[in-house]
Amino acid sequence: MSSEFRTTYGIYQEPAERITRYSKRMYKSWLIHWHREIEIVQLLEGEYTYVIGNRKYEATAGDFIITKGCEPHQFCTNPPKMMQICKFDIGIVYNVLKKFNYPKCHITKDEIMSIPNLYDDLCFAFNKIGEIETNGGSNAICDCYTALLFTLLSEN
């Protein structure tokens, strides 16, 4: 069952039963917005400008961007560039959040590459989420890979 309510930016509709939502496509820009879910973005090509809260980040292909739930954020790029986005309810990582520090907002590919195998593991988890979502696989398994993706980012 979903609920919706009016915000300054229009109608906000909370997701129905799904915990993880995934998309991979070309994006140009999103105006400032927020949502209840945590969002992990992997930039797949080019350069982007991200604004999270009141901080601005310059990001490039291979970088990861993480926004907390209800945190205002926006991104800009021109022309459109490919990225993949995973949004998920905080419930699937609640215990992780109690145990680990919340990852910083912008994690560069160079930082990730400095830890052996981490970049490959992150890409594997993100690709599995996309594969499961695209092929209509198990929501529970998709949520497990989402928790793994977030845990890898927060633990390292």
Side-chain angles (χ1 to χ4, degrees), residues 20-21 36-37 39 46 59 71 80 100 105 113 125-126 129 145:
T20 298
R21 293 183 292 151
R36 189 175 63 119
E37 302 91 357
E39 179 176 272
E71 186 169 43
F100 301 110
C105 294
M113 294 296 285
F126 228 135
I129 295 165
Y145 278 108

Side-chain angles (χ1 to χ4, degrees), residues 3 5 13-14 46 61 71-72 74 80 114-115 120 123-124 142:
S3 61
F5 53 92
Q13 183 169 356
E14 292 187 354
E71 186 169 43
Q74 67 180 17
S114 70
I115 300 169
D120 291 339
C123 290
F124 174 80
C142 187

Side-chain angles (χ1 to χ4, degrees), residues 40-80:
I40 299 175
V41 177
Q42 183 184 21
L43 310 175
L44 299 176
E45 62 182 15
E47 298 177 345
Y48 302 75
T49 299
Y50 256 84
V51 178
I52 300 173
N54 60 0
R55 298 211 44 206
K56 184 177 178 179
Y57 302 92
E58 300 299 327
T60 60
D63 291 359
F64 283 78
I65 302 292
I66 302 169
T67 56
K68 298 176 183 176
C70 300
E71 186 169 43
H73 58 283
Q74 67 180 17
F75 65 87
C76 304
T77 183
N78 194 13

